[in-house]
């Protein structure tokens, strides 16, 4: 699916991020996010790194499952753009299924991919 070791490494980081969101793992979310993170929700709400992590860890934003499909990764130097369709089960005051298009911008810092920006739109 991915042709280069860098694409494979980024795909693994994306998988780790999704697992950390489901597990509410603040340490892993911190490790996978740039300090300058801007995290855009499909409703237009924007969070910085601390707000994003806090919402997950305090369970204000609860992901029960996340499944990604139709992956696309394009790497240019130390920056990458990734696109996916996201299907998730959430429980933010009531269980529901969400289906979103996601675009992520990732930055390679010291050999590790970190999320720099994320924007979601409803399908």
């Amino acid at each position: 699916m991915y042709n280069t070791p860098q694409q494979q490494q980024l795909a693994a980081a994306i998988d780790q991020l999704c697992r950390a969101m489901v597990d509410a793992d603040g340490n892993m979310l911190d490790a996978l996010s740039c300090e300058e993170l801007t995290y855009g929700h499909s409703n237009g709400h924007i969070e910085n790194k601390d707000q994003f992590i806090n919402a997950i860890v305090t369970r204000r934003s609860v992901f029960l499952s996340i499944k990604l499909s139709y992956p696309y990764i394009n790497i240019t130097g130390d920056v990458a753009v990734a696109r996916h369709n996201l299907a998730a089960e959430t429980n933010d005051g009531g269980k529901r299924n969400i289906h979103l298009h996601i675009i992520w911008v990732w930055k390679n810092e010291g050999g590790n991919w970190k999320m720099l920006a994320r924007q979601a739109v409803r399908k």
Side-chain angles (χ1 to χ4, degrees):
M1 176 179 290
Y2 299 111
N3 298 325
T4 70
Q6 277 192 315
Q7 286 177 320
Q8 293 168 2
Q9 184 186 22
L10 178 54
I14 292 169
D15 287 342
Q16 283 182 310
L17 179 73
C18 291
R19 277 194 306 276
M21 291 172 71
V22 171
D23 295 343
D25 183 339
N27 291 328
M28 184 59 69
L29 293 171
D30 181 62
L32 291 167
S33 301
C34 289
E35 291 303 317
E36 309 83 5
L37 175 65
T38 178
Y39 188 93
H41 293 268
S42 62
N43 65 1
H45 181 71
I46 305 291
E47 295 173 329
N48 64 27
K49 179 180 179 175
D50 291 337
Q51 293 165 328
F52 160 67
I53 293 171
N54 184 270
I56 299 288
V57 171
T58 63
R59 308 302 277 178
R60 203 171 61 248
S61 182
V62 177
F63 285 90
L64 302 174
S65 67
I66 297 174
K67 182 179 179 186
L68 301 176
S69 60
Y70 299 102
Y72 166 85
I73 292 176
N74 184 14
I75 298 173
T76 303
D78 65 349
V79 176
V81 173
R83 292 183 178 271
H84 292 89
N85 288 342
L86 178 144
E89 184 179 8
T90 64
N91 191 2
D92 305 340
K95 286 188 181 180
R96 65 186 180 114
N97 294 315
I98 59 173
H99 300 278
L100 304 170
H101 296 292
I102 304 290
I103 184 169
W104 283 314
V105 178
W106 290 75
K107 182 178 178 186
N108 194 307
E109 294 184 353
N112 297 306
W113 287 105
K114 295 187 177 193
M115 179 175 50
L116 178 62
R118 181 256 200 195
Q119 184 61 57
V121 295
R122 290 186 180 102
K123 279 180 84 173

